Structure formats: C-alpha cells, structure tokens
Amino acid sequence: MTTTDSAATSLAETMARLRGAQKGHARGAPAYSVYVNRRIGRLFAAIAYRFGLTPNQVTLVSAAHTFVGIALAASVPATWWSGILIAALLVAGYAWDSADGQVARLLGGGTVAGEWLDHFVDALKIASLHLAVLIGLYRFGGLDEAALLVPIGYSIVATVTFFGMILNDLLKGARGVASTHERAGGTLGRSLLLLPTDFGAVCLVFLLWGVSPLFLVVYAALFTVNVLFLVAAAVKWFREMRRVG
C-alpha cells in the first residue's frame, strides 16, 4: 500500500468514526444544515483531525473564512465574481463551524471554553453579516433607500432568533430538561420547509450578489420567512418555558 493509499484509508476511517459520533439534530432542523453542511463539515473535521487541529483552532479557521466573506460584501463592488467568492467563503466558514464540534467529539468531548468561543463567533457573524449587506447595498447596489430597511430588519430577526435558541437550551439545561439537540429526529418535509431559515440559504443567496435587484428579491423573501418563523417560534418557546417553569 502506498503512502497516498494509507492516507486515504486513514481519512476514510476517521470519517467513519465521525459518522458514529454525530450528535442528534433538532426535530425538523433545516435541510441544508443536516444534509449538506454537516456532511461537508464531516470531511473538514476528518482533515482537521488528521492535521492535529484542536476544536478551537477549527473554530478560528471557520471565523477566518466567514469574516473575510463578510468584509468583502461590505467593501468590494457587487459583481458576479465577488458574489461567487463571498458565497464560497461563507459556505466554507459554515462547514468549518460544523467541523469544530465534530472534532471535539472525536477527541472525547468539548470544553466549556470551546463552546463559549463557538457561540461567540456565531453571534458575531449572524449580526455582522446583514450589516455588511446593508453597507454593500448602500455603496454598490444602486437601490432605493427603502430597500436598506431589509438587511437592518434581517439583522434584528437573525440575532433574536439565535439568542432565543441559545436561551432555550440554557434554561432547559439548568432545569434538567433535554436540550433541542438531544431530541433527534424529524421529517424530511419539515426540514425542507425550514430551509429558508438556514444560515446556509443566506450564504448561497450571495451567488446573486452581482445582480442587486434580483439579490434583494430573494434576500427579502428569506427575510419574510424568517420573520414568520420567529413569530411562530416565540409563541412555541414561551409555552415551553411555562411548562418547564
């Protein structure tokens, strides 16, 4: 067996171990996150593990990809090539974000500091991405000023949704109730229905970045779905908290 064959075998073995160490996903978690991002992240995790990267280092790799993409959205003219580059960086960053937890499970479990770092980076990217869209559309979009209200609203909705999900798990965990991720399962139909709420959908919409009016239409559609999701989720979460309390 050649060195290349041995390396390929080792990578395959690592990915097999990762498949057996997956945490459960929330019921009906968005399809991109479960069926695309997690699988790309598994490959990245296997590569990171083979190179000896720690989970925190993988988180920083994720952050580097994501924030370069966000910076480009705010600073580079909106063209077809810049849109593809931004989308690729955001997709890669999102996959590396999935990889850090998978590497942690390979190593026997994560740390509180690692979980804090992961959530801190997530919160920063969720808030700043839509503000970068605001700046990019203002500088390069040539759109009516009213269109700039969409990324402002999207930043608010995305930030509140993320905070609500984290707060739910925190309050449930403090009272011994299973977190969202511990209740695995869900249907494919529900996953597809929630696809517009996935961060991956926001990453991919940048493929339209070079055509600002078309980008805004799809981006605004995603925003609308996310508003409706947050309203429905807030009612559900409040009822859950009453039962937990």
Side-chain angles (χ1 to χ4, degrees), residues 3-24:
T3 302
T4 302
D5 291 336
S6 177
T9 300
S10 298
L11 185 63
E13 291 173 348
T14 303
M15 292 189 67
R17 288 180 58 193
L18 282 166
R19 282 191 291 271
Q22 291 295 318
K23 69 178 180 179

Side-chain angles (χ1 to χ4, degrees), residues 74-191:
S75 60
V76 174
T79 62
W80 65 268
W81 66 265
S82 64
I84 292 175
L85 180 57
I86 293 168
L89 286 166
L90 294 178
V91 166
Y94 191 30
W96 280 111
D97 184 35
S98 173
D100 58 7
Q102 297 187 55
V103 171
R105 285 187 287 281
L106 269 183
L107 297 175
T111 64
V112 173
E115 186 174 3
W116 178 90
L117 179 63
D118 186 31
H119 291 329
F120 184 86
V121 171
D122 284 343
L124 183 59
K125 78 179 182 185
I126 287 171
S128 60
L129 174 61
H130 299 290
L131 297 181
V133 172
L134 170 67
I135 296 170
L137 290 179
Y138 174 76
R139 296 184 64 190
F140 312 116
L143 301 170
D144 187 270
E145 290 186 357
L148 303 180
L149 295 175
V150 178
I152 294 174
Y154 213 149
S155 181
I156 295 170
V157 169
T159 303
V160 173
T161 300
F162 178 74
F163 175 77
M165 291 178 174
I166 296 299
L167 185 61
N168 287 346
D169 285 349
L170 178 65
L171 293 177
K172 289 177 182 178
R175 290 158 179 79
V177 179
S179 71
T180 302
H181 294 299
E182 291 171 347
R183 298 194 304 272
T187 64
L188 176 60
R190 181 181 173 87
S191 291

Side-chain angles (χ1 to χ4, degrees), residues 7 17 43 49 63 76 108 116 128 163 176-177 189 196 208-209 214-215 230:
R17 288 180 58 193
L43 174 61
Y49 180 77
V76 174
W116 178 90
S128 60
F163 175 77
V177 179
L208 304 174
W209 187 237
L214 181 57
F215 170 87
L230 178 58

